[in-house]
Structure formats: structure tokens, C-alpha cells
Amino acid sequence: MDPFEDTLQRLREAFSSGRTRPAEFRAAQLRGLGRFLQDNKQLLQEALAQDLHKLMTLSSTFIRKEPFGLVVIISPWNYPVYLSLLPLVGALAAGNCVVLKPSEISRGTERVLAEVLPQYLDQSCFAVVLGGPEETGQLLEHKFDYIFFTGSPRVGKIVMAAAAKHLMPVTLELGGKNPCYVDDNCDPQIVANRVALFRYFNAGQTCVAPNYILCSPEVQERLVSALQSAITCFYGEDPRSSPDLGRIINEKHFQRLRGLLGCGRVAIGGQSEESDRYIAPTVLVDVQETEPVMQEEIFGPILPIMNVRSLDEAIDFINHREKPLALYAFSNSSQVVNQMLESTSSGSFGGNDGFKYLSLSSMPMGGVGNSGMGRYHGKFSFDTFSHQRACLLSCSGLEKLNEIQYPPYTAWKKKLISWTLASQSCTLL
């Protein structure tokens, strides 16, 4: 019998209920911890004396941000310039030497990054390496001081396993199924415009794009009509001829996506053309949770709609799946949007809009759980590639002031040490 199962289940249920989220609850717990230390000071001192025979002192402290050393950045194919250079900026700003491994799938960008970019940087501190999965595996057999990977959860697990061999720290920017809840109280055309923009941008090949819609059957009927209007407005009567609609990256992904068109029922689009890897902006209805389109990240211009009867059912559906990289909620009611925000967990959240936050360097980008770990963008990138080194500096003289820390510990010394520790502060530089 597992001695931990009941305890862990109790704690998970408490977290799922939202008990730990209010600020008042957190403050109460911290006050309780403070009372524990105050009420049991003597008891703790006796326990420490029994276990370790020990006590500590005053000095100035600060945090020094230092480069990790040699870091590797493994970037994806869907935004091959942006998702290579953005973490590179942070790594270089933090003072690291960098190995950049661009995706072999986006061949044109890979060639430019390998042949041209090094001409602009100090090649004694920067290198671009090429290759596919086999070469990447060989690369990760080496010890790095930090690994930054952007890609799928499946490959992310491989990267993390490789990192574990050398206890290398990692940032994993992964993906997943990003839900989009549409409330009954909404303007369907406004929702359709915003969802269509962010779903079909870059032909749907965006890790934070809405991956599926949850709404009532009544909203679905109005929303499908509005999505058709939005798609026609954005891409014309013949989306294939639109200069604003992208194409699928390669034949392998094209065939995978064409297979997903058989899920549910096609309400909009569904056309495909193998010669130029075109898949029309598509909406699927009557989709079942067990179908492939709901089991894997779509990464293409296909948008399935699933029906729920209420906001609570939508929240329950989301919370019974892996934590997504992004989550979206549309409603005229701020209470509905806030309830979705407070009752779920995701890497990022958009209320009544898509992933505009990616354009803001003040906002971090990163997942949680199965959608990744760590974050970057702007100063967050610098911090990610910096080791925050805790430092203490003490004066080499003034020994008389330090004598209170030396044994034997008289009652007077203990009282003075306790007062010092209670009033000590830390300066963050």
C-alpha cells in the first residue's frame, strides 16, 4: 500500500478547489508560520541544539547575476528567425557563450543562420551547428551549462532526459492543446474575428494559437456563421489565392493535417492541395474528445468546436487535461472571464483577445506542467540565462562585533543573535 497516496490526493483536491488562491488565505498561512516560529522559539532552539548543536549572524548580502557559461539553444521551424534570435539576445546579454541549433525543417532560415549570422558575432564565443534528430541527440550527449529548447512535449521529454545525465538546467518552451471558451453572452462576430485571426495566422502553425473552442450548441450555430464571414473577409472567397494565408511547412505535416480533416464534420473549409501544401481555413463540428484532432496539438489551420453546457463544464473539461501553453476566454461578462482565469492553470491567458501579449517584452512567455518550464522575453530572457548567485560580504576587521557569533553561547548572546536575525534585511542588486 502506498503510504503517500491519501495525503497527496487530499492536497490535490484542496488545490483544485481553489482554497490556496485567495491572497487572504496565503497571508493567513504566513501569519500562522510566523506564530509557529514565535511560539516555539525555545522548542526549536532545543531541537537544533539536540540535532546539530548550532546558531548565525549579520553581514551584507546581495544577489549577483552571472552567466551560466556554455548554453545551447535548440529552436523550432514555425518561427525560425524569431524563436532563434529572441532567446539568443538574452543568452548573449547575460554573458554566455552560445551554441545555436536551428531547425533542419526550415532549411532556408537554417542556411542563413549558419552561413551569415556568425559573420556578425565573435565566433570564439558563438557557433551554429546543423543536423536532424540524430545529430541533436549527439549534441545533447555533451555537457552544457544550460539548455534552452523550443518544440513539442514529446521531444521535450527527450531533451530533459539528456539534461538529467549531467544535471543540466533547462528551459522547455513546449506546446499543447490551447482551449478557447466562448460564453453565451458574447458578440459572435467579434469573437469570430479575433479567433480566426489568431487561429489561422501563419497557417495555424503557432504554439499559442487557440486549438479548439468550447461553447454551447446555441453559440456554435451563431459562431460558425460568423467564422465563415471572418474567413471570407480576411482571405477572400478563394483563400488559396490570398497572399495573407501561409502554407504548411513540409509534406509530412501536410499529410498529418489532411488526416485530421476526417475528424467530426467539416462546417467550413476542408479543401487541401498537395502541390503547394495548402489546407483551407477549416472549422470542424460534431467532434468527439477521443478523435485525433482533440488528442494532439494541431499546428495547422483547423479549428474543432466541442459543445459544453456551462462555464463549469468547460472549466472541468480543461482541468482534466494537461495544462495548456495558452488559454482564451470570450465573454461580455468580466465575471465569466475572471472565473475562467482563477479556476484554471496555463502558461498564459487571454481574455477577449488572442496572443497579442507576445508583442510585449514586459510579459513573460512560458508554459506550465506539460506545456513547459521556465520563461523568457525581454528581461525575463536575461534572467533565464543568468545564474542568481547569493553572496555575503563581511568586514575583515571589527572582530569585536563578530564575537557574539562564537561559542560559548550565553543567554545574552542568544538574545542578541535572535534580535539581529529578526531585523536583518537582504538587498537585491
Side-chain angles (χ1 to χ4, degrees):
M1 184 176 178
D2 188 340
F4 310 113
E5 185 174 356
D6 290 345
T7 298
L8 297 179
Q9 181 64 24
R10 173 172 57 84
L11 296 176
R12 287 195 183 98
E13 288 175 355
F15 181 79
S16 297
S17 73
R19 182 172 175 77
T20 64
R21 291 180 181 268
E24 296 81 2
F25 175 85
R26 306 181 199 190
Q29 298 309 292
L30 293 175
R31 287 194 296 268
L33 183 58
R35 289 195 303 273
F36 163 76
L37 294 172
Q38 185 66 38
D39 297 347
N40 298 281
K41 185 184 300 183
Q42 183 63 34
L43 186 63
L44 289 169
Q45 288 175 346
E46 291 172 358
L48 283 170
Q50 176 184 337
D51 292 338
L52 298 168
H53 302 281
K54 70 186 263 185
L55 285 151
M56 184 168 167
T57 113
L58 41 116
S59 280
S60 67
T61 59
F62 59 94
I63 298 172
R64 177 184 172 92
K65 295 183 178 180
E66 299 181 340
F68 277 105
L70 177 59
V71 306
V72 60
I73 297 171
I74 304 173
S75 60
W77 52 261
N78 59 324
Y79 291 89
V81 175
Y82 182 75
L83 295 179
S84 294
L85 300 190
L86 198 62
L88 178 61
V89 168
L92 294 176
N96 297 283
C97 289
V98 183
V99 172
L100 174 63
K101 165 59 184 72
S103 173
E104 75 284 1
I105 295 175
S106 47
R107 295 176 182 174
T109 305
E110 179 193 43
R111 183 173 62 254
V112 173
L113 292 175
E115 297 176 1
V116 182
L117 177 58
Q119 300 174 26
Y120 293 81
L121 299 173
D122 186 332
Q123 295 186 41
S124 68
C125 301
F126 173 76
V128 178
V129 297
L130 306 179
E134 182 179 349
E135 290 79 10
T136 303
Q138 293 174 344
L139 178 66
L140 291 176
E141 290 177 4
H142 294 270
K143 184 175 182 178
F144 291 93
D145 297 300
Y146 202 95
I147 299 175
F148 189 101
F149 169 79
T150 305
S152 68
R154 179 186 64 82
V155 180
K157 293 176 183 178
I158 298 172
V159 172
M160 196 166 183
K165 294 178 182 178
H166 298 293
L167 294 180
M168 294 182 284
V170 298
T171 288
L172 301 178
E173 294 291 333
L174 309 179
K177 301 289 291 180
N178 304 320
C180 177
Y181 174 69
V182 180
D183 187 39
D184 287 4
N185 181 9
C186 72
D187 182 319
Q189 193 59 62
I190 291 176
V191 174
N193 292 344
R194 298 177 186 182
V195 170
L197 171 63
F198 292 105
R199 171 68 270 186
Y200 303 120
F201 185 80
N202 198 33
Q205 298 167 117
T206 305
C207 59
V208 289
N211 231 249
Y212 62 94
I213 287 177
L214 295 174
C215 67
S216 68
E218 294 76 21
V219 168
Q220 175 183 298
E221 183 177 352
R222 293 182 289 148
L223 190 59
V224 168
S225 175
L227 282 167
Q228 179 65 79
S229 297
I231 291 169
T232 301
C233 179
F234 295 169
Y235 306 112
E237 294 291 343
D238 178 19
R240 186 181 176 189
S241 63
S242 170
D244 300 313
L245 186 67
R247 295 297 186 264
I248 306 308
I249 184 68
N250 61 18
E251 180 69 16
K252 176 184 176 182
H253 284 282
F254 173 82
Q255 295 298 343
R256 176 185 63 81
L257 289 167
R258 190 149 74 169
L260 296 180
L261 294 173
C263 298
R265 175 173 62 85
V266 174
I268 299 173
Q271 301 86 2
S272 63
E273 178 52 57
E274 187 172 357
S275 63
D276 66 348
R277 303 190 303 277
Y278 165 76
I279 291 183
T282 298
V283 175
L284 302 176
V285 296
D286 301 336
V287 174
Q288 301 301 311
E289 183 181 356
T290 55
E291 292 186 273
V293 76
M294 289 300 298
Q295 295 299 310
E296 62 184 70
E297 186 175 8
I298 296 172
F299 238 63
I302 301 171
L303 180 62
I305 300 179
M306 288 196 62
N307 294 146
V308 291
R309 293 182 297 273
S310 66
L311 172 61
D312 288 339
E313 185 179 340
I315 290 171
D316 187 61
F317 183 89
I318 292 167
N319 287 339
H320 277 83
R321 300 165 73 88
E322 296 284 6
K323 294 181 179 180
L325 183 58
L327 193 158
Y328 305 97
F330 289 84
S331 176
N332 290 333
S333 167
S334 60
Q335 183 177 352
V336 168
V337 174
N338 286 331
Q339 185 176 342
M340 178 63 75
L341 173 60
E342 293 172 1
S343 303
T344 58
S345 177
S346 61
S348 56
F349 181 87
N352 290 313
D353 215 331
F355 47 82
K356 284 181 183 174
Y357 50 82
L358 288 184
S359 64
L360 302 174
S361 61
S362 59
M363 297 288 281
M365 168 64 182
V368 59
N370 196 67
S371 59
M373 60 182 68
R375 53 202 42 81
Y376 72 123
H377 276 200
K379 186 176 180 294
F380 298 99
S381 298
F382 176 84
D383 290 340
T384 285
F385 288 103
S386 299
H387 167 57
Q388 300 194 31
R389 188 180 185 186
C391 301
L392 181 148
L393 297 180
S394 199
C395 180
S396 60
L398 302 175
E399 184 64 2
K400 280 291 181 183
L401 292 177
N402 281 287
E403 286 182 357
I404 64 168
Q405 69 185 331
Y406 303 140
Y409 296 112
T410 63
W412 179 83
K413 281 187 177 181
K414 289 179 181 178
K415 186 175 182 180
L416 188 56
I417 290 173
S418 295
W419 175 84
T420 302
L421 290 177
S423 60
Q424 190 175 13
S425 63
C426 175
T427 302
L428 177 63
L429 297 181

